[in-house]
């Protein structure tokens, strides 16, 4: 198992319980979608997975190393195994595509090269190669602000891959994109997963895309896991358990056709 979530719970200071004893494991190479209504705990789960948030209890194990019990350099080494792609891209608009990709290297660099932006020939070559991989070979020196939404997400994917992760977290990666562009982005992520042996966990509100691209679905409701299985095992009853709405049942039925 490349990712193990063991009895993870998280409660915020305002009293909201985001996650309650969540358990699941992910095998290397899987494409897992985490679905559920707003407030189900999906984003909190992903923030715990990439180390941006700490769980109140439970264990996160990445490549057999315990994330929550480590600090400093050891924690950063575990986090390096995880790349994250965000809904809003999280790019610096006024700098070039290649410099956005290279920014993934900053946590591993010493102070002066990081401040001066001296990344070295090897890193520059790798960043150019990744931009080529995501279909942006002609945009290497283009400022990000000149790109379309789909192109920006491709830069974000290249930046995540610059960390050479074994796990890619895709946090609503196509929510800001039109359906055609969104499908292209998920096809790209799926292709990279296969060619590079990545494990993908996607947080998504798009039921159709989750069913189509995932090898497995995890359904959360009110911070509790209510489904963990194959897309073909999803039924209207299961969707009702996840979303509690007949409207969502019709949506999933249409998506499954």
């Amino acid at each position: 198992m490349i990712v193990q979530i063991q009895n993870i719970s998280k409660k915020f200071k305002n009293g909201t319980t985001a996650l309650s004893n969540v358990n699941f494991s992910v095998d290397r190479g899987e494409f897992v979608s985490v679905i559920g209504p707003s407030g189900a705990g999906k984003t909190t789960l992903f923030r715990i997975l990439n180390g941006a948030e700490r769980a109140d209890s439970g264990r996160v194990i990445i490549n057999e190393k315990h994330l929550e019990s480590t600090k400093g350099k050891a924690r950063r080494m575990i986090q390096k195994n995880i790349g994250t792609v965000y809904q809003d891209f999280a790019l610096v608009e006024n700098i070039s595509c290649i410099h956005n990709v290279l920014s993934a290297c900053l946590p591993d660099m010493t102070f002066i090269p990081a401040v001066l932006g001296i990344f070295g020939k090897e890193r520059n070559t790798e960043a150019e190669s990744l931009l080529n991989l995501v279909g942006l070979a002609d945009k290497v020196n283009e400022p990000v602000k000149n790109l379309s939404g789909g192109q920006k997400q491709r830069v974000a994917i290249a930046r995540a891959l610059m960390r050479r992760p074994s796990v890619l977290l895709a946090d609503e990666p196509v929510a800001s994109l039109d359906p055609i562009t969104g499908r292209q982005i998920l096809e790209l992520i799926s292709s990279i997963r296969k060619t590079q042996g990545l494990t993908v966990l996607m947080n998504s509100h798009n039921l159709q895309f989750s069913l189509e691209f995932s090898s497995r679905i995890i359904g959360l409701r009110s911070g509790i896991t209510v489904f963990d299985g194959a897309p073909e095992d999803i039924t209207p009853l299961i969707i009702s358990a996840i979303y509690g709405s007949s409207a969502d049942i019709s949506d999933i039925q249409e998506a499954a056709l």
Side-chain angles (χ1 to χ4, degrees):
M1 300 292 179
I2 193 168
V3 176
Q4 296 178 63
I5 299 294
Q6 299 179 347
N7 299 313
I8 288 295
S9 294
K10 178 68 178 181
K11 187 174 183 178
F12 292 110
K13 292 181 179 179
N14 64 5
T16 300
T17 298
L19 298 168
S20 181
N21 293 318
V22 173
N23 287 274
F24 63 86
S25 298
V26 180
D27 285 327
R28 190 177 301 275
E30 279 195 278
F31 192 130
V32 179
S33 281
V34 180
I35 65 171
S38 296
K42 303 185 301 297
T43 297
T44 301
L45 175 63
F46 274 44
R47 286 178 59 79
I48 290 172
L49 274 168
N50 68 14
E53 194 89 50
R54 285 186 180 269
D56 294 333
S57 60
R59 298 194 301 178
V60 177
I61 303 173
I62 308 293
N63 283 329
E64 301 183 351
K65 296 180 180 179
H66 295 218
L67 177 63
E68 79 290 338
S69 61
T70 58
K71 297 180 181 180
K73 186 176 181 180
R75 183 178 175 85
R76 290 194 296 274
M77 289 302 294
I78 298 173
Q79 289 175 296
K80 190 174 180 180
N81 286 299
I82 302 174
T84 307
V85 178
Y86 300 95
Q87 173 183 341
D88 62 357
F89 318 129
L91 300 171
V92 181
E93 294 276 326
N94 290 323
I95 65 174
S96 66
C97 293
I98 191 168
H99 276 89
N100 269 281
V101 175
L102 287 166
S103 69
C105 303
L106 291 174
D108 302 322
M109 296 172 62
T110 55
F111 179 75
I112 292 178
V115 169
L116 297 179
I118 302 173
F119 294 97
K121 183 178 180 180
E122 184 177 343
R123 289 192 179 105
N124 274 274
T125 299
E126 184 173 359
E128 287 188 28
S129 177
L130 288 171
L131 285 169
N132 180 57
L133 176 67
V134 300
L136 294 177
D138 59 336
K139 302 291 184 181
V140 170
N141 296 307
E142 187 79 22
V144 164
K145 64 183 179 181
N146 295 341
L147 303 184
S148 67
Q151 289 172 328
K152 289 178 181 179
Q153 195 59 291
R154 289 172 184 268
V155 175
I157 292 169
R159 180 188 57 193
L161 295 176
M162 192 70 189
R163 299 285 290 169
R164 300 178 184 177
S166 53
V167 179
L168 182 67
L169 299 181
D171 189 8
E172 292 284 358
V174 300
S176 301
L177 307 175
D178 65 82
I180 293 175
T181 305
R183 180 178 296 279
Q184 292 171 345
I185 291 298
L186 290 181
E187 287 172 346
L188 173 63
I189 291 174
S190 185
S191 174
I192 292 171
R193 175 184 70 88
K194 294 173 183 176
T195 58
Q196 298 199 6
L198 275 177
T199 301
V200 177
L201 278 82
M202 179 172 74
N203 165 6
S204 178
H205 282 295
N206 191 308
L207 297 173
Q208 180 178 350
F209 284 159
S210 295
L211 285 172
E212 182 177 347
F213 288 95
S214 307
S215 56
R216 182 168 152 217
I217 303 286
I218 294 174
L220 293 181
R221 182 176 181 180
S222 300
I224 298 171
T225 304
V226 295
F227 177 78
D228 185 348
E232 56 266 29
D233 293 333
I234 293 281
T235 65
L237 185 61
I238 290 169
I239 292 302
S240 181
I242 297 171
Y243 292 95
S245 167
S246 59
D248 288 306
I249 293 174
S250 64
D251 288 345
I252 197 67
Q253 287 173 326
E254 290 179 9
L257 295 177

